[in-house]
Amino acid sequence: MEPTAAFQGVRCPACDRIHPADTDQRCPDCGAACEVAYDYGAITTDALFGHAADTDGPTARARSDRGHWRFDALLPFAASDAVTAGEGTTPLVATDSLADELGVEAAYVKDEGRNPTGTVHDRGMSLAATALADRDPDAIEPIALATTGNSGQSAAAYLGRLGLRSYAFVPSRSAFSNKAMINVHGGEMRVVGGRYPDAVDAVDEQLAADYYSLQEFTTPYRHEGAKTLAFELYADLGEVPDYVFVPTSTGELIAGVAKGFDELKQIGATESTPTIVAVQPTSCAPIVTALEGGESEPEPWAVPDTIVGELEVPDPAGGPQAVAALQRLDGEAVAVDDADILDSAVTVAQAEVIEMGAAGGAAPAGAWAYAEDGGFDGDETVVLLNTESGAKTPDILRSHLMGGGR
Ligand SMILES: [Zn+2]
C-alpha cells in the first residue's frame, strides 16, 4: 500500500512524535490514541476539491463511484487502493419546512443512512479495512471490536470483503437487524448479556490480548474516515455551514468532523468553522455534561438508560477527544429526552420522506431544543447529521408512535 503524498504517519499527541505509517493501533510507547498526520503545506484547496468539483463528462460516473475517496489528497491511502463500496457522497437534502420551524435561513439533512450498510460508520471502516488490505492475515487475525451494533455490521462488511476473520461483541439489547447482518456479511458475533460496557469488557476477557482491535480511538482510522463529512458539506454548500448537529456516542463523529473542518482551515479553504453541536440523550450524556461543566474528560455515566441503544455509551472511548474538539471550535452540547429523539425521527419521516433511525433523530431533536432556547439568530445554515437509516430501528420508532397514540 503506497501512502498518499501528504500522509506522514500517525502522531501520538501525548509523546508529540510521529510514528511510521504502519503503526495503526495505539501509541507503542505510551498507549495513547493516535491521530493521522499530514503535511498540510503540500495540499491546496484545488488538490482536495479540484477533481471533485468537475462532475461533467464521461468520467463522471467513475468519479461518483469513488465516494468519499475522491478526497484522497487528505486521506492516508489512495482511492485506487481503497477497500470501498462507494461509501460517502451521501445526499445533503434541503428541507424548507425544517428551516421554517427552526427559524433559520436554510436547513439540510446530511443523510448518512444511505451508506452501504446504512450508517456513517462505513466511512471509517473503509479506511480501517484499507489499512489491513496488504497485511498478512496470520499476523492480525482475529480482528475484533465491541459495538452497540452499527459499527459491528459495518466492520463485518468491510473485513468480509478482505476475507478476514472478525468478531463483533454486541450487547444483547443490540438491534436485531445489526445482529443478523453481522452474520450475513460473514462476521462472527458474540452476544454479551448486559450493556455496551459489558461488551467492551468481554473482548479482552474472551480474546486475551491477542487480537487486532478495530475499536474507535484504538485504530486511528475510524474518526479519520468521519472527517470527510466536513469536506462534503463544504463541497456541496460552497462554504462551511453555520451549525452541524451531531448525534453523539463514542466521540468518534465529533472528533472526526471537527478534524475535517480544522483541515479545511489549515489548507486555506475557509477561515471559519461551524458551530458543532453534540447531541446526547439526557439519560446518557457524559460528553454534554463534561462540556457544560468545563471538564476535559467526561465522567462515566453512572446509570445509562436510553432506548436509543446506539447512543448508550456511558464511558466514551473518544470522550476527551470530543470534548477537546468542541472546546477548540467553540462547539456546543445539548441533551434531549428519548421521547423527543423518537418524535423527531418520526416527524422527519412523515414530513420530509427521509428515514432516520432512532439515533439519527437526536440531530433534529437537538436542533429543535436549541431553537426553543433562542440559540439561532435567523440567518443561519443548519445541517442535521442523520447517522443511521430508518431500517435499523423501525420497531423502536413504531412502538413509540403507537405508545403515544399518534
Ligand atoms: Zn505516545
Side-chain angles (χ1 to χ4, degrees):
M1 186 86 47
E2 282 297 305
T4 48
F7 177 39
Q8 296 178 315
V10 299
R11 194 178 76 83
C12 172
C15 303
D16 195 23
R17 57 174 289 228
I18 293 180
H19 297 291
D22 62 356
T23 309
D24 56 7
Q25 299 273 273
R26 286 173 163 264
C27 173
D29 297 334
C30 77
C34 291
E35 292 289 337
V36 180
Y38 301 92
D39 173 9
Y40 294 112
I43 299 295
T44 62
T45 305
D46 276 354
L48 184 60
F49 292 101
H51 58 261
D54 173 17
T55 51
D56 296 328
T59 57
R61 177 174 162 71
R63 283 174 182 160
S64 75
D65 284 354
R66 285 154 51 130
H68 71 155
W69 289 92
R70 66 184 178 150
F71 301 113
D72 65 355
L74 264 179
L75 291 174
F77 318 112
S80 53
D81 290 332
V83 177
T84 177
E87 60 289 326
T89 327
T90 52
L92 183 65
V93 184
T95 64
D96 292 344
S97 60
L98 273 172
D100 285 347
E101 286 169 29
L102 294 173
V104 297
E105 179 74 23
Y108 298 88
V109 175
K110 178 65 170 168
D111 192 6
E112 290 293 290
R114 287 189 251 182
N115 276 301
T117 77
T119 71
V120 67
H121 292 291
D122 292 339
R123 292 176 187 267
M125 286 301 173
S126 73
L127 264 68
T130 301
L132 297 178
D134 283 349
R135 302 281 289 275
D136 174 7
D138 290 338
I140 49 174
E141 288 179 326
I143 299 160
L145 76 164
T147 169
T148 47
N150 284 344
S151 60
Q153 180 178 337
S154 182
Y158 284 84
L159 295 176
R161 173 81 171 266
L162 292 171
L164 291 170
R165 195 158 49 95
S166 70
Y167 290 89
F169 286 72
V170 302
S172 44
R173 65 164 303 178
S174 244
F176 171 76
S177 62
N178 287 142
K179 292 176 186 161
M181 292 309 292
I182 287 168
N183 288 144
V184 168
H185 284 296
E188 301 280 340
M189 181 171 57
R190 295 282 183 273
V191 178
V192 181
R195 294 171 180 262
Y196 176 67
D198 300 301
V200 174
D201 292 343
V203 180
D204 278 335
E205 284 164 15
Q206 294 190 25
L207 298 179
D210 198 18
Y211 64 94
Y212 179 98
S213 175
L214 266 193
Q215 212 67 50
E216 66 284 342
F217 299 99
T218 297
T219 165
Y221 294 121
R222 286 185 49 189
H223 64 287
E224 183 68 14
K227 82 179 185 188
T228 54
L229 277 163
F231 301 165
E232 289 178 17
L233 292 178
Y234 177 82
D236 286 352
L237 294 170
E239 59 185 358
V240 300
D242 297 301
Y243 283 91
V244 185
F245 285 81
V246 183
T248 298
S249 55
T250 63
E252 177 185 353
L253 278 180
I254 294 288
V257 169
K259 186 178 183 192
F261 285 116
D262 275 337
E263 291 184 341
L264 289 176
K265 230 172 137 175
Q266 286 269 4
I267 65 169
T270 175
E271 290 179 0
S272 62
T273 51
T275 301
I276 297 174
V277 186
V279 188
Q280 294 194 293
T282 45
S283 49
C284 186
I287 290 173
V288 172
T289 304
L291 189 77
E292 288 175 346
E295 307 289 335
S296 60
E297 188 149 348
E299 283 288 315
W301 200 260
V303 187
D305 183 24
T306 168
I307 196 161
V308 187
E310 277 295 314
L311 300 184
E312 194 179 88
V313 177
D315 188 8
Q321 289 88 342
V323 172
L326 291 167
Q327 288 170 341
R328 188 172 72 243
L329 299 188
D330 285 331
E332 301 207 33
V334 179
V336 283
D337 291 340
D338 280 7
D340 292 334
I341 294 174
L342 302 178
D343 266 346
S344 298
V346 169
T347 298
V348 170
Q350 294 187 348
E352 304 290 344
V353 180
I354 299 164
E355 297 186 353
M356 291 184 162
W368 270 310
Y370 196 82
E372 278 168 23
D373 278 353
F376 297 122
D377 291 331
D379 58 353
E380 296 96 341
T381 298
V382 174
V383 172
L384 312 176
L385 185 64
N386 178 33
T387 50
E388 62 171 7
S389 85
K392 299 288 183 179
T393 58
D395 48 343
I396 294 174
L397 297 181
R398 186 165 180 273
S399 298
H400 174 71
L401 198 55
M402 297 301 141
R406 284 176 67 168

